[in-house]
């Protein structure tokens, strides 16, 4: 395979008459961690969801692993090897933690369920203790871990994470970022993440994009973006946001 | 006492039929938040398919027990399969195109579908009632007392036993499917968050279709039972039974499966006891009054969960 694992070209997305994405261009190479940062309402979550076909791009093209997925139905896109831990976590509230994880494994028809479950529990030991508990009764941090764990259960090649550190204690954030780096290094998992926590995200990522008003305004390696004055001023108030 | 026991048995029988229909209302509401007003007519279609199947099988009076059971089983399977196709078709062509439309559109379409199905059966099968000669006969005497008014016997007919047992069995299987299988999990996931279910690779449209198929299949079983129990059907039976079953679903807590089963039983019992001890004219009023009272004090029904906005 040549070319990027994920290729986004000129994508425009609307909510009714409101335009949320204004011609987004972006690539995620195989084996990379790419961070997307931007102000509230910039369109980051919309891009994550548009990649998954929900909502669908009105114009432009999205290619995954060489094939055009712009018009594919969401469930087929997800079955082709993309997983997302979306904004708001979207844990099934009236299902147990275990059932939420089983839902994550739905695309693999549960063939590797037992093995993957052990890996996940090693990564997030807390989830093992909570496995019989209903998703809706978990704390915010626990739900975030579950959302990431559930996404991993599908054995994706591309993992989309929408603000994985939101609402988590710093120690848990470090743990999750370490887990992401680990998955990337050891298993070659490609990760595309949105973060408010720009400092940590750009430290973690190989490359980053800055989104302003529904379009990409800047791009570069994590270190390059961190070094730029305008980026620091806009997204890293106080130095280490 | 004997009279009470007899009414209890009759009420449970009727309640079983309502419960099976109520599941279809509650499942569809749970997954797409819509009241499928045509569901009562799907039940009626089920009864007609069963009738046609039984006539085609050509069971004669005096057939052996094994033959009767096989014939009923065959009629049941035919009714379930064909009625499920009706349920699927209604969803696919009448409701799905309107799923993203304004809230009232599918509701109005459902009322329209109800009229279409009734008229379709009226035109193709005629407007007069259709009788079926009794197939399952006999029963057991479980109590007998002699008073100054004469003898009173409590009877459980074979058909009542058949109806109650089949319902219990079906509901157990159905509850197991919903609780334990990947299909049931996908169904519940779509109910709780359709977008997320799709993000996990679930084909939401197919899951919704399946919900209609399962609901229709269960309603057709109720249709066959109704046919065997009352011996006559017409194109209009879906209206009253449908409203009763809908009431049962609301009473139990719309969206709740155990609620639908419980609500069905309660409505069946109320109706039977009211007719037995008070007057038969007001039996429907009684059932609906109970509904109103319950909803005043428990707005989400007996087993429904309180409506909480998602964050
Ligand atoms: N379902 C929706 N309907 C209408 N407008 C929406 C919807 N979702 C998002 N928007 C609008 O689209 C724009 C982009 O929103 P989006 O959620 O993608 O931003 P974001 O970059 O993820 O912001 P945040 O950092 O706050 O999560 C916003 O102006 C928002 O109001
Ligand atoms: Mg967002």
């Amino acid at each position: 395979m040549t070319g990027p694992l994920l290729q986004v070209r000129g994508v425009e997305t609307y909510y009714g008459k409101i335009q949320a994405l204004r011609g987004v261009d972006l690539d995620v190479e195989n084996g990379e961690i790419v961070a997307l940062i931007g102000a509230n309402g910039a369109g980051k979550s919309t891009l994550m969801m548009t990649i998954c076909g929900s909502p669908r791009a009105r114009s432009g093209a999205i290619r995954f692993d060489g094939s055009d997925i712009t018009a594919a139905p969401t469930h087929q896109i997800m079955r082709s090897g993309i997983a997302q831990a979306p904004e708001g976590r979207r844990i099934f509230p009236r299902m147990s933690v275990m059932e939420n994880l089983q839902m994550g494994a739905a695309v693999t028809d549960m063939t590797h369920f037992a093995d993957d479950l052990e890996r996940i529990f090693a990564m997030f030991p807390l989830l093992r203790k909570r496995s019989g508990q209903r998703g809706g009764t978990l704390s915010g941090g626990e739900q975030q871990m579950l959302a990431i764990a559930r996404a991993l259960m599908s054995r994706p090649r591309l993992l989309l994470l929408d603000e994985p550190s939101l609402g988590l204690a710093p120690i848990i954030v470090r743990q999750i970022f370490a887990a992401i780096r680990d998955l990337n290094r050891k298993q070659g998992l490609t990760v595309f993440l949105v973060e408010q926590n720009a400092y940590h995200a750009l430290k973690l990522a190989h490359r980053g994009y800055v989104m302003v008003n529904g379009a990409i305004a800047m791009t570069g390696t994590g270190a390059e973006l961190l070094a730029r004055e305008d980026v620091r001023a806009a997204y890293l108030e106080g130095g280490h946001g | 006492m004997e009279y009470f026991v007899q009414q209890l048995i009759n009420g449970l029988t009727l309640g079983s039929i309502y419960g099976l229909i109520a599941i279809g209302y509650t499942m569809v509401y749970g997954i797409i938040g819509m009241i499928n007003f045509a569901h009562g007519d799907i039940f009626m279609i089920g009864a007609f398919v069963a009738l046609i199947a039984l006539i085609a099988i050509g069971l004669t009076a005096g057939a052996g027990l094994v033959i009767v059971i096989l014939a009923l089983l065959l009629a049941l399977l035919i009714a379930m399969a064909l009625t499920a196709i009706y349920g699927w078709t209604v969803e696919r062509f009448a409701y799905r195109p309107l799923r993203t439309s304004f809230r009232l559109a599918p509701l109005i379409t459902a009322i329209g579908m109800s009229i279409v199905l009734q008229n379709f059966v009226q035109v193709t099968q005629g407007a007069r009632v259709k009788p079926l000669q009794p197939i399952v006969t006999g029963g057991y005497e479980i109590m007998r007392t002699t008073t100054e008014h004469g003898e009173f016997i409590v009877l459980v007919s074979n058909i009542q036993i058949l109806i109650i047992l089949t319902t219990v069995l079906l509901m157990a299987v159905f509850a197991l499917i919903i609780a334990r299988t990947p299909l049931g999990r996908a169904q519940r996931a779509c109910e709780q968050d359709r977008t997320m279910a799709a993000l996990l690779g679930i084909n939401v449209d197919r899951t919704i279709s399946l919900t209609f198929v399962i609901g229709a299949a269960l309603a057709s079983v109720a249709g066959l039972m109704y046919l065997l129990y009352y011996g006559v059907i017409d194109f209009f039976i879906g209206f009253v039974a449908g409203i009763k079953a809908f009431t049962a679903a609301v009473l139990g807590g719309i969206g709740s499966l155990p609620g639908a089963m419980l609500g069905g039983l309660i409505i069946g019992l109320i109706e039977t006891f009211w007719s037995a001890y008070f007057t038969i004219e007001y039996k429907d009023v009684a059932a609906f009054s109970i509904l109103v009272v319950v909803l005043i004090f428990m707005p989400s029904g007996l087993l429904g969960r309180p409506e909480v906005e998602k964050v």
Side-chain angles (χ1 to χ4, degrees):
Chain A
M1 245 295 310
T2 50
L5 183 62
L6 177 74
Q7 184 184 57
V8 178
R9 286 290 174 273
V11 163
E12 309 204 334
T13 301
Y14 290 76
Y15 294 108
K17 288 199 172 68
I18 305 166
Q19 186 169 13
L21 297 182
R22 301 164 190 277
V24 174
D25 294 314
L26 170 153
D27 289 332
V28 178
E29 302 288 342
N30 214 337
E32 267 190 322
I33 300 178
V34 174
L36 176 66
I37 60 175
N40 292 126
K44 307 181 295 295
S45 300
T46 303
L47 176 60
M48 289 301 209
M49 292 302 285
T50 303
I51 291 169
C52 300
S54 164
R56 218 175 281 294
R58 188 172 293 181
S59 58
I62 303 170
R63 300 177 76 79
F64 176 64
D65 202 10
S67 46
D68 190 339
I69 57 168
T70 324
T74 299
H75 66 95
Q76 270 174 22
I77 295 175
M78 307 324 278
R79 282 176 182 264
S80 70
I82 302 181
Q84 181 174 181
E87 180 165 55
R89 307 177 185 114
R90 308 191 89 140
I91 298 304
F92 297 113
R94 296 185 298 287
M95 283 190 181
S96 67
V97 166
M98 187 60 86
E99 285 182 312
N100 269 278
L101 292 171
Q102 287 171 332
M103 284 306 297
V107 300
T108 63
D109 293 324
M110 312 273 288
T111 33
H112 317 284
F113 188 74
D115 288 352
D116 290 354
L117 196 62
E118 279 313 308
R119 277 197 308 136
I120 293 295
F121 282 162
M123 202 181 297
F124 304 110
L126 207 67
L127 291 181
R128 189 195 296 272
K129 274 192 263 169
R130 298 274 179 270
S131 62
Q133 198 172 323
R134 276 155 51 111
T137 63
L138 296 182
S139 77
E142 289 166 344
Q143 288 194 355
Q144 189 61 268
M145 293 178 209
L146 178 55
I148 297 171
R150 181 179 59 184
L152 287 171
M153 291 304 285
S154 70
R155 298 198 159 189
R157 278 181 298 155
L158 172 63
L159 177 63
L160 306 177
L161 299 171
D162 197 335
E163 306 205 27
S165 73
L166 190 72
L168 294 183
I171 177 151
I172 310 283
V173 174
R174 245 169 281 143
Q175 210 178 307
I176 285 185
F177 278 30
I180 294 170
R181 182 175 281 131
D182 232 43
L183 286 166
N184 172 260
R185 289 209 183 135
K186 297 206 180 119
Q187 296 172 32
L189 177 66
T190 307
V191 181
F192 180 37
L193 80 163
V194 165
E195 259 303 334
Q196 288 289 328
N197 203 327
Y199 178 75
H200 283 290
L202 292 175
K203 277 266 186 199
L204 172 74
H206 300 108
R207 289 187 307 116
Y209 289 90
V210 178
M211 183 176 260
V212 177
N213 250 326
I216 300 299
M218 274 175 259
T219 176
T221 65
E224 279 165 12
L225 287 175
L226 271 176
R228 286 180 65 141
E229 264 322 305
D230 45 355
V231 172
R232 299 182 74 92
Y235 308 106
L236 301 171
E237 294 114 302
H240 286 193
Chain B
M1 177 60 193
E2 285 71 23
Y3 189 58
F4 176 84
V5 173
Q6 182 69 69
Q7 297 312 323
L8 188 67
I9 295 165
N10 296 349
L12 287 177
T13 310
L14 190 59
S16 298
I17 294 176
Y18 290 156
L20 283 176
I21 309 174
I23 290 178
Y25 280 107
T26 229
M27 277 181 92
V28 165
Y29 182 83
I31 201 163
I32 51 175
M34 158 197 171
I35 307 293
N36 179 13
F37 278 112
H39 186 59
D41 303 290
I42 292 289
F43 151 80
M44 177 270 295
I45 298 262
F48 268 91
V49 175
L51 175 69
I52 294 166
L54 282 173
I55 290 173
I57 292 168
L59 207 57
T60 48
L65 183 65
V66 178
I67 303 288
V68 169
I69 290 176
L70 285 180
L72 285 178
L73 214 57
L74 184 60
L76 182 78
L77 291 178
I78 294 171
M80 285 175 90
L82 292 183
T83 312
I85 294 173
Y86 275 91
W88 182 86
T89 309
V90 167
E91 191 277 333
R92 180 66 189 82
F93 295 103
Y95 302 157
R96 189 182 297 179
L98 295 171
R99 202 172 293 150
T100 53
S101 165
F102 67 104
R103 247 187 107 69
L104 235 44
L107 213 67
I108 296 165
T109 314
I111 295 172
M113 270 326 292
S114 164
I115 297 168
V116 167
L117 291 174
Q118 278 179 31
N119 287 339
F120 166 66
V121 173
Q122 188 182 1
V123 166
T124 53
Q125 299 296 319
R128 263 180 290 163
V129 296
K130 298 265 166 192
L132 176 76
Q133 51 164 319
I135 291 177
V136 186
T137 50
Y140 299 93
E141 179 185 318
I142 57 171
M143 271 189 212
R144 178 195 287 266
T145 42
T146 326
T147 64
E148 65 266 32
H149 304 299
E151 235 177 21
F152 192 84
I153 302 168
V154 179
L155 272 179
V156 196
S157 65
N158 284 333
I159 176 72
Q160 287 178 320
I161 296 173
L162 184 76
I163 289 176
I164 294 172
L165 281 186
T166 309
T167 304
V168 168
L169 187 75
L170 263 182
M171 287 194 176
V173 169
F174 171 74
L176 213 66
I177 289 176
I178 295 296
R180 293 284 155 79
T181 63
L183 170 69
R185 259 199 313 273
Q187 213 274 338
R188 283 180 291 138
C190 288
E191 212 172 284
Q192 296 175 31
D193 187 340
R194 268 194 266 164
T195 306
M196 190 63 228
L199 284 181
L200 294 171
I202 302 299
N203 186 339
V204 175
D205 279 341
R206 212 193 58 175
T207 309
I208 293 174
S209 281
L210 265 169
T211 301
F212 276 81
V213 163
I214 293 172
L218 290 178
S220 75
V221 178
L224 172 65
M225 290 172 171
Y226 184 101
L227 171 70
L228 294 174
Y229 195 44
Y230 292 106
V232 288
I233 56 172
D234 62 43
F235 71 94
F236 203 61
I237 58 165
F239 180 73
V240 178
I243 288 192
K244 296 278 178 53
F246 171 60
T247 308
V250 176
L251 179 66
I254 191 127
S256 156
L257 295 173
M261 303 176 194
L262 180 69
L265 286 181
I266 293 176
I267 295 288
L269 287 170
I270 291 174
E271 199 179 312
T272 311
F273 278 107
W274 186 277
S275 326
Y277 288 99
F278 303 107
T279 139
I280 197 158
E281 274 90 47
Y282 292 111
K283 67 181 166 87
D284 296 349
V285 178
F288 295 133
S289 309
I290 299 281
L291 173 74
V292 171
V293 172
V294 168
L295 288 187
I296 287 172
F297 294 105
M298 303 175 83
S300 42
L302 295 172
L303 300 181
R305 70 206 137 72
E307 207 50 60
V308 208
E309 276 305 308
K310 256 188 250 174
V311 245

